Amino acid sequence: MTLQISQRGKEYLKTAQTLLRATKTMTDQAIAAQLKALADDYERRAEKASLDDAAKALAQSAER
């Protein structure tokens, strides 16, 4: 089964990608590691948001 990324998920992924780009220019490795951890969290949020949105859409279509 293929999961479609919801619009909300895409926004989380966009934020994660921005954070990852910022880590590439960091000279302070401690801050870069924190940004990487935050980007990983946003990627998890993107997946969860997409799953939640798909379940909501499925529930709404089942009501009809």
Side-chain angles (χ1 to χ4, degrees), residues 6-63:
S6 68
Q7 187 61 38
R8 191 165 51 124
K10 287 178 185 176
E11 291 298 321
Y12 279 123
L13 285 178
K14 182 179 173 185
T15 300
Q17 291 168 349
T18 300
L19 290 168
L20 289 173
R21 273 194 309 275
T23 63
K24 293 178 183 177
T25 62
M26 287 281 151
T27 55
D28 187 330
Q29 292 304 308
I31 295 192
Q34 289 177 337
L35 289 175
K36 171 77 169 85
L38 188 57
D40 291 344
D41 182 56
Y42 271 89
E43 288 174 348
R44 284 188 295 277
R45 289 176 189 224
E47 185 177 353
K48 184 176 182 328
S50 292
L51 288 171
D52 291 349
D53 293 347
K56 184 178 177 182
L58 184 62
Q60 288 175 345
S61 68
E63 289 176 358

